[in-house]
Each structure stands twice: as structure tokens, then as C-alpha cells.
Amino acid sequence: MASHAAASGRKGWRMSFCLSNPLPCARALSPRGRSMVNNLKSYLRRAEFAALVAMPVLLAGCNPADFPASTFAPRSDLGHWVQGVYLETIVWDSLILALICGLIFLLLTRYSTRAREDQPGPPPPHGESIELEIAWTAGPALILLFIAVPSLRIVFRSQPATPPPHSLIINVTAHQWWWQFDYPGLGVETADEVHIPVGRPARFLLNSADVIHSFWVPGMGGKRDVIPGHVNELTFTPDTPGEYIGECAEFCGLSHANMKFRIFVQTPVDYANWLANQTSGPRNANQGAAAAGEHVFLTSACTTCHAIKGVSSGYIGPNLTHFGSRTTFAGSIYVNTPANVAAWIEDPEALKPGAQMPPLGLRGKELDQLVAYLESLK
Amino acid sequence: MSPQEHTAEAGDHDSRTFAYLVVAGILAFLTAFEVWVSYVHALQPVLVPLLVVLSGAKFALVVLFYMHLHYDSWAFSGIFLPGLALAASVVIVLVGLMVRFFAGF
Amino acid sequence: MVALPKHIEAEESYLHGGGILSWLTTIDHKRIAVLYGVTVLFFFLAGGIEALLMRIQLARPDNTFLSAYLYNEMFTMHGTTMIFLVVMPAGLGFFANFVVPLQIGARDVAFPRLNALSYWIFLFGAIVLNVGWLYNMAPDAGWFGYANLTESYYSPGLNINLWTLGLLISGVGSVLAGINLLTTVINMRAPGMTFMRLPLFVWSMMVMFVLILVAFPPLTVGLIFLAMDRFFGTHFYRVVAGATPLLWQHLFWLFGHPEVYIMALPAFGIISEITPTFSRKPLYGYPAMAYSTALIGFLSYGVWAHHMFAVGMGPAADSAFALTSMLIAIPTGIKIFSWIATMWGGDLKMKTPLMYAIAFVIQFTMGGLSGIMHAQPPVDLQQTDSYFVVAHFHYVLFGGTAFALLGGLYYWWPKITGRLLNEKLGRLQFWTMVVGFNLTFFPMHLLGAEGMPRRIYRFSPHMGWDSVNLLCTIGAFIMAASVAILLINILLTMRDGELAGPDPWDGRGLEWKIPSPPPAYNFSTIPIVRSRDQFWHDKYGYESGVVPPAPLPAHENEDSGHIHMPAPSIYPLLLALGITMAVVGMLDWLRVALCGAALTLFCAIAMAFEYREAGSENPEAVGIFTGLDNRKVGVWSFIASESLFFASLIATYLVYKGRDLGGPTAETILEMPLVIGTTFILLMSSVTMVLAQEGYRRGDRTWGLRWLFLTIFFGSVFLAGQVFEFHTFYTEGMSLGTNLFSQTFYTMVGFHGAHVAIGVIILLSLVGASFTDWFKERHRDIAVECAALYWHFVDIVWIVIFSIVYLMRSIAKA
């Protein structure tokens, strides 16, 4: 059953990613190119970048769009800043590595004496040059300076003392092993999937309900640890609508691998529509299987942990008010299909080791009704 | 070891014993002073730097005289002082970082 | 063991003779090195198998070969094993132990029995770490063990208990080995072996020993807090009490980053030996190499928070740690260019050790360059905790350090066993290792760039990680094949490999001057050193125009020609057992803990008087070249290390000061009059201690004992005062776990009290000894001085604690 659910889930994902993933390299280059230096820089970046993209493509033998969590496809201001520093460092690193490898290559071709190794002659001459030693001390120091200055500028720019005006604040609470998103002042609470409008700074205030996690959206440019008892913050302005994978990056226990989330960057209109739907209560389930399912929900243990606006008020597990409107569930690792949800309710532990939701013992018709109810919560 | 050397060393050690007793007096005085300082209300704003200086002086006296760094080979200072410097910087940097963290930088 | 080469007098080899018992009681540094070597090899295979199982699991998406639980155990134990039980003991226990005394012209390390003790503690610690496998309860929170996941609320099982206690135990062994070997390098050098004539291997090792002394105390303190949280109900890392789990990260990385260099410095040293030997040229830029080694060691202590850029320390702290981290690249660059310059223009003999050295230079450079990437906080935000970092540190620790260690193994194997490893198999092993290593770890850069986080037991097929992961798995199996070739090589050449002779590589260091394998006493006469690469100049003379320097005058206590090696001892093994029992007893077996403590005390005292019973002093207690006493050098090293221990405790007290969520505080509960009194008494005990010491120096037993008794009395009064104080607080309702103040106060003041108590025991044993023949011995006042140094140190710690805790009690926050 579980494997069936997982299989169907996989298929669904693949489709969703083929549709929603832009080419990682499409907008990687800085649009600025004012001077010769910048031209040269951008040329170097282009070359380096081509190599970096070519490598996984060669190795994996497939399309770059197949890397939905790539760190080389920034779609936010933060992402572009980070990538600027990243590529610059890669260029310097490659030059240094080429120098070292070149020297060693020359060394091996010129001085290798394997053939006459057993006839020791007089020791070869040797001498030292203080100029050389100064050069290889000062050279790297200079390169480090070139690397450090732009990088430190970004450090300060990405962590401003005052948050940008008009930013959308989202409170993130990390749980073992799912993400809770609250929109303060808007009365919206969702899990594992968060929607933000394009072009507006999104300010994620991060807190943890249990252990340390880390909030990472590779496409948005970086991660920030989520520490219990402390509010951390990550701010970025997305620039391209789309669906982006988020991951927990800090080991947080048994199902650390199963703690993903998704960011939906939407056009202002789409976002407004989504918000309007979320701020309203759940659709009334007044007929058919869904109505029976609501009864199952109310009479089972579900209500102790899960909230549905106007129906129940549990707070331990994810808020289910608009469960049917989400594309994935359970730490965003399963596609939200009736079959997957049914499999989950039957045995959460089998689908996600350590899951804190207990098996409820619901079978057959009751289970189908409950699933129908949950899926009706659009 | 010749008799003269012996006497010279003995003399050196007599003066050391004298130094030990003087240091003991200073230590007792400094401790009393520290305690007094900690009770004076007017000195509260400068209490921390004042106590750092006073206990630093006590610390240095014990290390230099009772632990013989003043008399002994530089090698022992060479082992201890870097460790002490690191220990002091660990306290300062760690406390600084954590206080900023609690304050939300 | 190894079949001995016939041309060596069989009785002379250190490997000759004795059954199991002689290995259990051995205190010969070379035999202990072999013990370390065998243990390290075993754990290398264990850690390697753990890695292979993980790679099988990740070979394809959604694999079910390992469960999540088992996978978490695997990566935790793979990291813990490779770092604490393989790479570090390979450098510290195996190479340093075997080679350092030979290269500095010594007959053994400074404290041979302490050396054995370090090994046995390390072994027992390793067993405690791994014993959980038998119950399917191996540690499972990562080698970095981030609190608060390691708190019993989130990890209730035996797993983390074993991890905490195992690391505590093996850490004690590492610090003891560091003290021992640092003392050896400082004080046991042959006449004329100045610091600027030391082989660079010894330089690197010396810096590493210092790092061990200063890096382990913060880890020990962090582990003590964790153990107290788990066993005694404190909350050093628990948010509910106002504490923060971030404290663990700081304490851990204060240890963790120097630890990287603790592992890398031996590699630097080995490469600095191999490249000159196989190029037949002296090391290029020796002074710059020596100073850059020291600089790397120093800088490595100031960069720990670059592991924590994602934590959100603020832009100023991020920038500061980014800059210090980047600075390390400069001395490291000096090293890399100097190695290349050493080989440049030389007669390169392409033997296996040199091939490993060249691969090291390239791969370590790659690891260093990716290190420069995540020294940039913005880039680090994309790379940290992803597979990019996994690739990075494997390039540093495997492609770098482990390659150097393998090169060093081929290089010194003939010295250790007397036989050469097979060169053809060696080359095959090298090339399979290079291919396997790069195939495994280079693609991991790409996985990281494609967004694959670390420590995930499964991944989904649509992420684009499938084929690259499969490639890594294939590479891992090629590496496994390479390790198998190494084992075959060892087995094949052990009995009938080519005899090495004393100097198979045309070497430069003193170790090539003596037979292979060396006799138990190493050098029949202690060599006199007049220049760097002394043995090379012995063979080839000095270049024209160079006037060989006159030998430096040795200390008067010169080598008498009479070789006296200390007798074997069983106490190190028993003492290690006692310490292990005392620590493991914390798992709720009070009797075991008490028996362990009793055994520890008994063995410690028995060891202190062992040589006296045998009727002789350790003949090399005083350095031939320096004239300093080993024991004093050792005690000072110990005190330097202890400074960091108390610094970590004090820092924790200050960090948590004023953050209690209720309960007593320093201002409300501390009673000053009593403490002022006991503080005076403890200060005065330092005065009585120096006076007692004067008595012992003069041979005046009555005078000495009088002041010694007074010191013991003062110490006991101080302790009684502390017991009374603790009891009062306890009856007032402040127990250990009441709040942040209670736990930091009891821990810091309590550990200081424990030090005073140990001091009293040491002084009592001196009183006892004063009534025996020991009093007539030449160096008795040194023993008293060592006890006194410890006593004064405990006193100066109290000077600091008294100010910070008691006198600053009304200061609200740090």
C-alpha cells in the first residue's frame, strides 16, 4: 500500500516539476556589464558557469531542468547576490588549482627519474629565493582580498539592521518533521507549503517547536538555522513566479530526510486569490461522503491534534483548514492524492519513520469518507 | 658544586623566602581591598574593571612567585602563557558572541 | 608478529619476545604505536564498512536497504569513528608515537607509562562508543551531536549516553597523550637538536600536541554539561530553563575546528618528510614552513564560528570569522608552494610514498579551495549542510590527510617492521585509491550544488540526484578494493617481504640511522646534532663552503652510555579500566562507578611509587639538552590545558548569568562572610605550600612536613567550608537543576572543589612518602614542586572564580 502511494506520488512530482521548473541557467548572469573589467568578469563567469552546468549534465545525461533544488538557479535578490560571490570565488579557485596542477605536471615531466632510481648520484643542487617566498605569501593574500571585499559587502547587505519596508512577514515554526507557516494579521495558517507574491520582500521569522532545524530554499539563495527559543530571520525578494523546493538542512532526528516544504511564488493576482480563499473558512461539507467524513473526523482522535477553522482546534499537528488546496503533505514528501492520504492515515510510521501521528485504526468506508472530507477542504 | 655556589644559592633562596612572605602580605591586602570595593556602593559602576585589575594582580603574583615563573626557565612561561591567553580570549569572545545572540544582534 | 630480518640481533628488536602479557604491560613507545596502529586499522575497516553501507543505501532513490534509524547510526558512527578512532589516533598515537622519539634522538617518550595509559583509555573509549551496535543502540545524532537533539527528551535511548561517555573517556586519553608527547618534544631532544633543526614532521606534531591541549577542554566541558543534562536533571542546553542549545555549538566547534588541524597537521608533517627524501633535496623554505605551521595552529583556534554562519550570529561576527578563516589560506599556501619547490629540480624517485604525497598536494589544494568558498558567509549559506561540504571535508580529510597517512605508512613501514611493502602492489593500491576517491567525492560537489542536504537516508527520484549518487557508490567500492589490496600487501610482505635495512629510502632524519626494526632502546648512543638533516650530512658531508657548526654544549647530565629502560607495568591498563568504570558507572550503576574510582586512585598511587620500589629513578627524567625536568614540563602543559577547561566553565557561567527564569541568583543566595574566610585560607595555603617546598629542597623534613600539614589543613578547611555552603544552599531549596544559576554555580565551583580534593590527596601521598626512602632521592623536591604547581594553579583559579561569582554577584548580566 505504502509503496503504491509512493509510486503514484513520484509520478505526480515529476510532472509538476517538468512544468514548473525553469532552466537553471536561464538568468544566471549579471545584467550589468559597464566596463572592460566587468566584461571580463562576466566572460569568466560565463565560462565557469558553463563548465559547472555542463558537468552534472554530462554526468547525469539529462536536462538541467531535472535539478529542481539547484543552487545555481537563483530566483531572488538574495540568490543573485550569493551567486555573484559564489561564481567569483569559483573563478579564482579554478585559476589557483590550474596553477598548482600545471606546476605539478611540469614537475613530473621534468624531474621524474624513475628509470635511474637505484643509482644515487650526488644530491641535486638546491637554493632558496626570498623573492619567491614573498610572492607566494603576498599573492594569495591579495587574491583573498579580492574575494573578501565583495563577499563581506553581501554579508551586510543580506542582513540589514532594519527590515525592508512593505515586507510580507511569515512566521515559520519548524516541527519534527514538518513546517508550520503563519501569516500574522491575516489569520492564515498552513503547513509545508507557503505562498508569497513575486517582487515583494518576504521576511521569514524562524522559530522551532523542538530541536534545531535549518530553513533552506536553494532557489531563493540560502539557508538559516531554526533554533528553539530564538527568532531567526531570512529575508529575500523573489523575482520569478514558480514552485521552489525547500528542505530542512540541519540534522533533526529520525525523519530529517522527510522534512521538505515548497514555496509558491505567485503573481500578485494569483497570490491575492489564494489569500482570499485561505482567509475564508473551510467549505461546508453538507452532502455525500465528505459530510460523513466530517463526522468521522469529529468522532475520532483527529481533533486532539489538528485544527480546522470552525470545526476543531488542536494545535500539535498541521492545520488542516485548507488541506485540500495543498499539493503535497507530510513534510511535502507525498503528493496530495486520496490514495496517498488514505495510506498515510492507515499507517503514518510506514510512510515517514518516527511520524508523531498514531495509526487511528480507521478502515474501509470510514477511511474513504475521512479522506473525501479532507480533500474537500479546498 | 663548590661551597661558594652553595652559599650563593642558599642566599638566593633566603631572599626568595622573604619574597614569598611579602607576596603573602600583598595578597591578603588585595583580597581585603577587593572585598571592601565590592561593598562600596559608589564604586558599583566601575566594579568589574576594578576587580579584573585587582584579581589580575593577585593572579600574576601567585604565578610569578609561588609558581616560580619569575625565577624559572622561559620554557615554562612559553607553555603556560599561550594557554592562558587563549583561555582569556575564549571567555571574552564566547561571552561577547552569546550576549549579542541573546540580544538578537 | 613479523618475522624478523636475520641480520638483526633478534633480541635487540623491539618486536622481539614476550607473549600477550608483554603487550599488555608494554611501555615501549614503538610497541604502543603498533598497538595504536592495529586498533586504528580495525576501526578504519569498521568505519569504511559503515560508509559502504551508506553508499549502498544511497545508490538509488527511495532505497530501503537501511532503515532511517540504522542509516542515522551509520553516519554518526562513520564520522565519530573516522575522526576520533582513526585519523586522530593514527597521527597522535601511531605516527607521532613511533616517529617523534626516533627523529629527536630519544630512547622513549617523556612518560612511558602515561603513554600506555593513553592507549588503553583510547581503546576503552572506543569500545564504549561502539558497544551500542550489540544492542542496536549505536549513537545516532551525528558526530557533531548538536544539542538539543541529544537531550534525553528527544533522544531517550542508550545511544547518546554511550556517545557522550565514550567521547569523554577517549578525550582524556588524547589529552594525556598530548601532554606526554609535547613534553617529549620540548625536553627529550638530543644534544644540539634546536627547534630550528627539528625535522618538520616534529614541528607539525608539536603544534598538533599544543592544539590537543587547548582544543579538548571545551569539548570535555560541553560533554560534561550534556552528561549532566542526561543523567542529573540539569538543563544546560534546554530552552525551557532559559538556556540555549547554541552553547553546545560554540563549545563543540571551539574543539571541532582545531580538531581539523589536529588531523591535518600530521599530514603536513609527513609530506614534509616524504618530499625532501624522494627528491633528494632539503625541504624548501624551512623557517617559513616552521612558522606557517605554528601560525596555522594559532589561527585554527580563532575560526570556529565559521561552522555557524547559518546560525545567524549577525553580520559583524560573520565577517570577523570569515576573515580569520580566509587568513588560514595564506600559511597553507606557503606550505603547498614550498612542497612543490622542494620537489622542483630534485631527483624525483617515483615510489609509492611520493605518489601519495603528490596526490595529497593536489587533492588537499582542492579541499582548501572549496574551503575558501564556504569561508564566504553568503556562499556558505548555500553550501553548508549540503553534500558540497561532504565533498569538501573528504577532500581535506581523505584526499588530504588519509592520503598523507597512507604515504607515511609506506614510508615508515620498513622502519616499523624491517620489511618493505611490495612496490607494485603499492602502485596498484595508489591508483585504485586515486580513482576511487575522486569518483566517490568529486561528484558530491555537484550533488551539493544540486541542493542535496547532508545526512538524509533517502532521496526522491525527481531531484536529479540518482545517477551522480550511483557514481559515488561505485567509487566507494573501488576505494574498498584499494583497501583490500593494501591488506593483501601487508599480509604478503609480513613474513617474506624484501628486507629494508636501516635506510631504504636514502633518508634524512635520525630514524634512518638505526636498525629496522629499531632496538628497544632506539639509540645505543644518543646522537649529537649539529645541523638540520644531520643524518644526510653524515652520509654526504656538507656542501663546499659550508662550515659544519660546532656541537652545542649539552647539559651536564649527559648520556652515561649505560642504557636503562624502565620496566613494564600493568598499572596503565588497570588505571584505564578504573577510569572507564568510573565514567560508565554514570549509566546508573553506582557500584561500578565507585569501584572504578577506587581502582583509579589505587593505581595512580601505586604508579607514583612503582619506580621507587624497583630501586631506580627514571634515568631520563631530566632533559639531556634542556636540563629541565620532564615532570615540570608535563605539569605546566597540564596546567595550560586546565586553563581552557576552567575558561569554558567560567564562560558558561557568564553567558547564562542573569538569564534564569526564576529561582535563586548569585545576589540573593550567596553568603559572603564564610566565603571570604575560606578564600583567605586557600590563599594562605599557597604560602604554606611554598614554604613546605623550601623545606623539601633543603632536605629539612621537619620543616617541610610542618608546612605541608598546614597546607593540607587549610585545603581541608576550604573544602569543609564548601561542603557546608553547598549543604546550606541545598536545604534552602537550591538543588543542582533548580535554574541556570544553580547548575552553572554548582558545576564550576564543584569542579574547582574536586581539584582541591585531588590536591589534598596528592599532598597526603607526599606526606606518606616523606617517611620512606623516597625522601633521600635526588629529585624529591621536583615531585613536591609539581604538586605545588598544581596546588597554586587551583588557587589562582579560585582567585578568578571568587571575583566573578562572589564579588560580582550583584552585576545583573554579563
Side-chain angles (χ1 to χ4, degrees), chain C residues 789-808:
Chain C
L789 285 174
Y790 174 83
W791 189 265
H792 297 311
F793 172 71
V794 172
D795 190 16
I796 56 178
V797 170
W798 186 254
I799 290 176
V800 176
I801 292 181
F802 178 65
S803 284
I804 288 178
V805 177
Y806 292 91
L807 297 179
M808 297 182 190

mmCIF file of all heavy atoms in Angstrom, chain C residues 789-808:
data_model
loop_
_atom_site.group_PDB
_atom_site.id
_atom_site.type_symbol
_atom_site.label_atom_id
_atom_site.label_comp_id
_atom_site.label_asym_id
_atom_site.label_seq_id
_atom_site.Cartn_x
_atom_site.Cartn_y
_atom_site.Cartn_z
ATOM 1 N N LEU C 789 52.836 23.234 42.087
ATOM 2 C CA LEU C 789 52.351 23.969 40.917
ATOM 3 C C LEU C 789 50.855 23.739 40.739
ATOM 4 O O LEU C 789 50.083 24.665 40.499
ATOM 5 C CB LEU C 789 53.107 23.518 39.667
ATOM 6 C CG LEU C 789 54.532 24.047 39.538
ATOM 7 C CD1 LEU C 789 55.217 23.414 38.339
ATOM 8 C CD2 LEU C 789 54.520 25.559 39.411
ATOM 9 N N TYR C 790 50.483 22.458 40.878
ATOM 10 C CA TYR C 790 49.065 22.124 40.752
ATOM 11 C C TYR C 790 48.263 22.851 41.825
ATOM 12 O O TYR C 790 47.212 23.435 41.557
ATOM 13 C CB TYR C 790 48.910 20.612 40.864
ATOM 14 C CG TYR C 790 47.484 20.134 40.895
ATOM 15 C CD1 TYR C 790 46.770 19.947 39.721
ATOM 16 C CD2 TYR C 790 46.842 19.863 42.102
ATOM 17 C CE1 TYR C 790 45.464 19.517 39.735
ATOM 18 C CE2 TYR C 790 45.535 19.429 42.137
ATOM 19 C CZ TYR C 790 44.849 19.263 40.956
ATOM 20 O OH TYR C 790 43.554 18.836 40.990
ATOM 21 N N TRP C 791 48.794 22.857 43.044
ATOM 22 C CA TRP C 791 48.087 23.477 44.164
ATOM 23 C C TRP C 791 47.907 24.978 43.930
ATOM 24 O O TRP C 791 46.822 25.532 44.110
ATOM 25 C CB TRP C 791 48.853 23.227 45.470
ATOM 26 C CG TRP C 791 48.085 23.643 46.668
ATOM 27 C CD1 TRP C 791 48.179 24.834 47.314
ATOM 28 C CD2 TRP C 791 47.079 22.889 47.333
ATOM 29 N NE1 TRP C 791 47.295 24.878 48.356
ATOM 30 C CE2 TRP C 791 46.602 23.684 48.392
ATOM 31 C CE3 TRP C 791 46.548 21.617 47.156
ATOM 32 C CZ2 TRP C 791 45.601 23.262 49.258
ATOM 33 C CZ3 TRP C 791 45.561 21.185 48.004
ATOM 34 C CH2 TRP C 791 45.086 21.997 49.044
ATOM 35 N N HIS C 792 48.981 25.632 43.484
ATOM 36 C CA HIS C 792 48.886 27.068 43.227
ATOM 37 C C HIS C 792 47.925 27.344 42.081
ATOM 38 O O HIS C 792 47.207 28.334 42.096
ATOM 39 C CB HIS C 792 50.256 27.642 42.876
ATOM 40 C CG HIS C 792 51.250 27.517 43.978
ATOM 41 N ND1 HIS C 792 50.980 27.897 45.260
ATOM 42 C CD2 HIS C 792 52.508 27.022 43.988
ATOM 43 C CE1 HIS C 792 52.042 27.660 46.016
ATOM 44 N NE2 HIS C 792 52.980 27.118 45.262
ATOM 45 N N PHE C 793 47.920 26.461 41.092
ATOM 46 C CA PHE C 793 47.010 26.671 39.968
ATOM 47 C C PHE C 793 45.566 26.661 40.463
ATOM 48 O O PHE C 793 44.757 27.515 40.104
ATOM 49 C CB PHE C 793 47.212 25.590 38.894
ATOM 50 C CG PHE C 793 46.173 25.658 37.817
ATOM 51 C CD1 PHE C 793 46.172 26.698 36.911
ATOM 52 C CD2 PHE C 793 45.178 24.699 37.724
ATOM 53 C CE1 PHE C 793 45.195 26.785 35.933
ATOM 54 C CE2 PHE C 793 44.200 24.774 36.753
ATOM 55 C CZ PHE C 793 44.207 25.828 35.852
ATOM 56 N N VAL C 794 45.251 25.672 41.323
ATOM 57 C CA VAL C 794 43.901 25.609 41.871
ATOM 58 C C VAL C 794 43.593 26.894 42.627
ATOM 59 O O VAL C 794 42.482 27.415 42.592
ATOM 60 C CB VAL C 794 43.780 24.362 42.773
ATOM 61 C CG1 VAL C 794 42.465 24.360 43.506
ATOM 62 C CG2 VAL C 794 43.937 23.096 41.956
ATOM 63 N N ASP C 795 44.624 27.448 43.255
ATOM 64 C CA ASP C 795 44.458 28.697 43.990
ATOM 65 C C ASP C 795 44.146 29.858 43.044
ATOM 66 O O ASP C 795 43.219 30.632 43.279
ATOM 67 C CB ASP C 795 45.754 28.964 44.778
ATOM 68 C CG ASP C 795 45.593 30.110 45.746
ATOM 69 O OD1 ASP C 795 44.442 30.480 46.027
ATOM 70 O OD2 ASP C 795 46.627 30.623 46.212
ATOM 71 N N ILE C 796 44.904 29.964 41.926
ATOM 72 C CA ILE C 796 44.649 31.111 41.035
ATOM 73 C C ILE C 796 43.300 30.970 40.353
ATOM 74 O O ILE C 796 42.640 31.967 40.068
ATOM 75 C CB ILE C 796 45.781 31.326 39.997
ATOM 76 C CG1 ILE C 796 46.032 30.089 39.158
ATOM 77 C CG2 ILE C 796 47.040 31.805 40.668
ATOM 78 C CD1 ILE C 796 47.090 30.296 38.103
ATOM 79 N N VAL C 797 42.862 29.737 40.110
ATOM 80 C CA VAL C 797 41.511 29.570 39.554
ATOM 81 C C VAL C 797 40.494 30.121 40.538
ATOM 82 O O VAL C 797 39.539 30.807 40.166
ATOM 83 C CB VAL C 797 41.230 28.086 39.246
ATOM 84 C CG1 VAL C 797 39.759 27.892 38.920
ATOM 85 C CG2 VAL C 797 42.089 27.603 38.103
ATOM 86 N N TRP C 798 40.748 29.877 41.819
ATOM 87 C CA TRP C 798 39.809 30.381 42.819
ATOM 88 C C TRP C 798 39.824 31.908 42.880
ATOM 89 O O TRP C 798 38.800 32.551 43.087
ATOM 90 C CB TRP C 798 40.080 29.780 44.207
ATOM 91 C CG TRP C 798 39.015 30.200 45.170
ATOM 92 C CD1 TRP C 798 39.117 31.116 46.164
ATOM 93 C CD2 TRP C 798 37.656 29.763 45.169
ATOM 94 N NE1 TRP C 798 37.920 31.282 46.796
ATOM 95 C CE2 TRP C 798 37.002 30.454 46.203
ATOM 96 C CE3 TRP C 798 36.935 28.848 44.406
ATOM 97 C CZ2 TRP C 798 35.646 30.264 46.492
ATOM 98 C CZ3 TRP C 798 35.599 28.651 44.671
ATOM 99 C CH2 TRP C 798 34.970 29.361 45.712
ATOM 100 N N ILE C 799 41.006 32.498 42.680
ATOM 101 C CA ILE C 799 41.076 33.973 42.661
ATOM 102 C C ILE C 799 40.101 34.503 41.619
ATOM 103 O O ILE C 799 39.355 35.450 41.867
ATOM 104 C CB ILE C 799 42.521 34.433 42.357
ATOM 105 C CG1 ILE C 799 43.426 34.125 43.549
ATOM 106 C CG2 ILE C 799 42.566 35.914 42.019
ATOM 107 C CD1 ILE C 799 44.881 34.449 43.319
ATOM 108 N N VAL C 800 40.073 33.841 40.438
ATOM 109 C CA VAL C 800 39.185 34.295 39.367
ATOM 110 C C VAL C 800 37.731 34.011 39.724
ATOM 111 O O VAL C 800 36.859 34.887 39.607
ATOM 112 C CB VAL C 800 39.576 33.593 38.045
ATOM 113 C CG1 VAL C 800 38.603 33.987 36.949
ATOM 114 C CG2 VAL C 800 40.994 33.949 37.656
ATOM 115 N N ILE C 801 37.456 32.788 40.194
ATOM 116 C CA ILE C 801 36.066 32.424 40.497
ATOM 117 C C ILE C 801 35.520 33.303 41.622
ATOM 118 O O ILE C 801 34.391 33.778 41.577
ATOM 119 C CB ILE C 801 35.971 30.928 40.880
ATOM 120 C CG1 ILE C 801 36.277 30.063 39.662
ATOM 121 C CG2 ILE C 801 34.592 30.597 41.435
ATOM 122 C CD1 ILE C 801 36.190 28.582 39.923
ATOM 123 N N PHE C 802 36.357 33.561 42.612
ATOM 124 C CA PHE C 802 35.916 34.375 43.742
ATOM 125 C C PHE C 802 35.479 35.762 43.257
ATOM 126 O O PHE C 802 34.427 36.271 43.656
ATOM 127 C CB PHE C 802 37.066 34.487 44.754
ATOM 128 C CG PHE C 802 36.746 35.342 45.950
ATOM 129 C CD1 PHE C 802 35.760 34.965 46.841
ATOM 130 C CD2 PHE C 802 37.441 36.534 46.178
ATOM 131 C CE1 PHE C 802 35.459 35.754 47.944
ATOM 132 C CE2 PHE C 802 37.145 37.319 47.270
ATOM 133 C CZ PHE C 802 36.158 36.932 48.153
ATOM 134 N N SER C 803 36.272 36.339 42.356
ATOM 135 C CA SER C 803 35.895 37.660 41.837
ATOM 136 C C SER C 803 34.608 37.574 41.039
ATOM 137 O O SER C 803 33.687 38.362 41.238
ATOM 138 C CB SER C 803 37.004 38.193 40.924
ATOM 139 O OG SER C 803 38.067 38.651 41.687
ATOM 140 N N ILE C 804 34.574 36.609 40.098
ATOM 141 C CA ILE C 804 33.468 36.597 39.141
ATOM 142 C C ILE C 804 32.159 36.180 39.804
ATOM 143 O O ILE C 804 31.106 36.772 39.559
ATOM 144 C CB ILE C 804 33.820 35.683 37.958
ATOM 145 C CG1 ILE C 804 34.877 36.362 37.098
ATOM 146 C CG2 ILE C 804 32.588 35.353 37.130
ATOM 147 C CD1 ILE C 804 35.328 35.564 35.942
ATOM 148 N N VAL C 805 32.218 35.166 40.653
ATOM 149 C CA VAL C 805 30.980 34.660 41.227
ATOM 150 C C VAL C 805 30.568 35.467 42.458
ATOM 151 O O VAL C 805 29.428 35.905 42.566
ATOM 152 C CB VAL C 805 31.116 33.170 41.601
ATOM 153 C CG1 VAL C 805 29.851 32.675 42.274
ATOM 154 C CG2 VAL C 805 31.420 32.360 40.372
ATOM 155 N N TYR C 806 31.506 35.666 43.354
ATOM 156 C CA TYR C 806 31.111 36.230 44.653
ATOM 157 C C TYR C 806 31.158 37.749 44.654
ATOM 158 O O TYR C 806 30.200 38.408 45.043
ATOM 159 C CB TYR C 806 31.996 35.668 45.761
ATOM 160 C CG TYR C 806 31.754 34.195 45.991
ATOM 161 C CD1 TYR C 806 32.500 33.226 45.317
ATOM 162 C CD2 TYR C 806 30.742 33.773 46.859
ATOM 163 C CE1 TYR C 806 32.258 31.877 45.503
ATOM 164 C CE2 TYR C 806 30.499 32.429 47.048
ATOM 165 C CZ TYR C 806 31.255 31.482 46.370
ATOM 166 O OH TYR C 806 31.004 30.164 46.561
ATOM 167 N N LEU C 807 32.290 38.309 44.216
ATOM 168 C CA LEU C 807 32.410 39.763 44.320
ATOM 169 C C LEU C 807 31.554 40.489 43.293
ATOM 170 O O LEU C 807 31.097 41.592 43.530
ATOM 171 C CB LEU C 807 33.875 40.168 44.186
ATOM 172 C CG LEU C 807 34.785 39.623 45.298
ATOM 173 C CD1 LEU C 807 36.222 40.045 45.073
ATOM 174 C CD2 LEU C 807 34.309 40.112 46.664
ATOM 175 N N MET C 808 31.327 39.827 42.134
ATOM 176 C CA MET C 808 30.486 40.490 41.131
ATOM 177 C C MET C 808 29.050 39.988 41.213
ATOM 178 O O MET C 808 28.317 40.046 40.229
ATOM 179 C CB MET C 808 31.037 40.234 39.719
ATOM 180 C CG MET C 808 32.421 40.788 39.472
ATOM 181 S SD MET C 808 32.940 40.485 37.780
ATOM 182 C CE MET C 808 34.660 40.931 37.849
#
